[in-house]
Amino acid sequence: MSSNTIISAGDFGRAAYDQAIKAINQSRRNPLVVMPTGATPKSMQQIFQRLGCPRPFQYLNLDQYCGIDFDDPRSYPLEIQKSLLDPAGLPLNMNLVFNAKADPVKECARIEREIKKAGGIDVAILGIGSNGHIGFNEPGTPFNSRAHVTELAPETRNANAAYCDHYGGVPDHAMTLGLETIMEARRVILLTNKADITRKALREEITEDVPASILQRHPNLTVVATPAVARALRFDA
Ligand code: PGA
């Protein structure tokens, strides 16, 4: 990880926001930016709500459950629209959102075409799952994967049950940007409050069993970590 940076943050949301804004400011005009959903980025989203975004960007959807409506409460792009884009005064381009009702295989191919048309991903801001997933790239996903349909791992469905009422409310399939798609982003910012899996991903073997371990090969990775995670990373550094 010699070319990468670890930001240890007492004020996690503020540090994540600052890194996101810095990356957006250093990118071309109207950059293509992947924003994460889930619990980890909540405090960053709150800062976006308060401070907005000094430069506009285009939001690219990282992942979405199959079969749901865009305005279903479980919809990830809806969460980003409500918690980040609307408060920051930024438009949502539906072309850059997985249409969960479309044929999923064709939809994944369409998203890849849109990314190409938009000139590639400038910044991918990601969380990490407790099983090492990034997006919905579950353990065992090939490193050369492009956007694809995936069956969610039981750990992922368990972790997300709280957001979907109960385990059975978590759809069993989703669409996600692939690992190769993510690795082509010009910059990656990983937000993490999970010490064990982050250390495994960034300090141990690069293996498809831990999808986030591929990030060790990214030439421009910034990790925004809670102090406990930063300590865990430095311990083995
Ligand atoms: P979390 O999820 O932020 O809700 O822990 C992270 C992820 O699964 O990517």
Side-chain angles (χ1 to χ4, degrees):
M1 288 229 337
S2 54
S3 61
N4 300 317
T5 310
I6 301 168
I7 311 285
S8 170
D11 187 343
F12 184 78
R14 181 66 208 221
Y17 173 83
D18 287 346
Q19 290 304 313
I21 295 298
K22 187 171 153 197
I24 290 166
N25 283 340
Q26 288 174 347
S27 297
R28 66 190 162 133
R29 217 171 135 258
N30 209 19
L32 193 58
V33 179
V34 172
M35 284 285 176
T37 48
T40 313
K42 284 275 174 259
S43 53
M44 176 186 78
Q45 291 169 355
Q46 282 159 8
I47 314 270
F48 267 99
Q49 287 165 20
R50 263 200 299 123
L51 303 182
C53 186
R55 279 184 75 205
F57 65 85
Q58 302 183 76
Y59 160 67
L60 171 67
N61 185 191
L62 173 62
D63 48 16
Q64 172 69 312
Y65 294 121
C66 288
I68 64 170
D69 286 316
F70 171 78
D71 51 10
D72 185 290
R74 296 166 294 181
S75 164
Y76 291 125
L78 175 73
E79 177 189 328
I80 294 289
Q81 182 182 36
K82 280 187 171 163
S83 57
L84 203 155
L85 300 178
D86 282 355
L90 298 174
L92 176 75
N93 178 350
M94 287 301 282
N95 288 337
L96 299 173
V97 167
F98 285 106
N99 176 357
K101 293 284 193 158
D103 174 284
V105 173
K106 287 190 187 147
E107 185 59 7
C108 290
R110 186 192 68 79
I111 285 283
E112 287 283 351
R113 284 197 302 275
E114 289 293 335
I115 294 170
K116 218 169 170 187
K117 216 157 73 180
I121 303 173
D122 293 282
V123 186
I125 308 176
L126 308 169
I128 181 170
S130 51
N131 64 359
H133 74 202
I134 46 177
F136 276 136
N137 291 285
E138 301 287 29
T141 305
F143 283 155
N144 66 357
S145 55
R146 310 298 307 184
H148 63 282
V149 186
T150 179
E151 184 173 355
L152 298 182
E155 303 96 293
T156 301
R157 294 188 70 200
N158 267 322
N160 293 358
Y163 310 116
C164 301
D165 269 355
H166 54 94
Y167 187 91
V170 186
D172 43 24
H173 285 80
M175 288 178 264
T176 182
L177 300 184
L179 292 169
E180 194 173 81
T181 321
I182 290 169
M183 285 295 285
E184 285 171 3
R186 296 177 183 99
R187 296 179 72 133
V188 174
I189 300 174
L190 180 70
L191 311 183
T192 169
N193 53 13
K194 299 183 183 79
D196 289 349
I197 190 61
T198 306
R199 191 179 59 185
K200 199 163 176 200
L202 299 182
R203 291 286 181 259
E204 293 181 18
E205 189 197 349
I206 300 176
T207 163
E208 289 178 352
D209 293 339
V210 182
S213 66
I214 187 72
L215 296 177
Q216 292 187 46
R217 294 194 182 136
H218 197 281
N220 198 345
L221 170 70
T222 299
V223 182
V224 179
T226 55
V229 179
R231 275 195 299 278
L233 290 176
R234 289 202 181 105
F235 184 72
D236 277 354

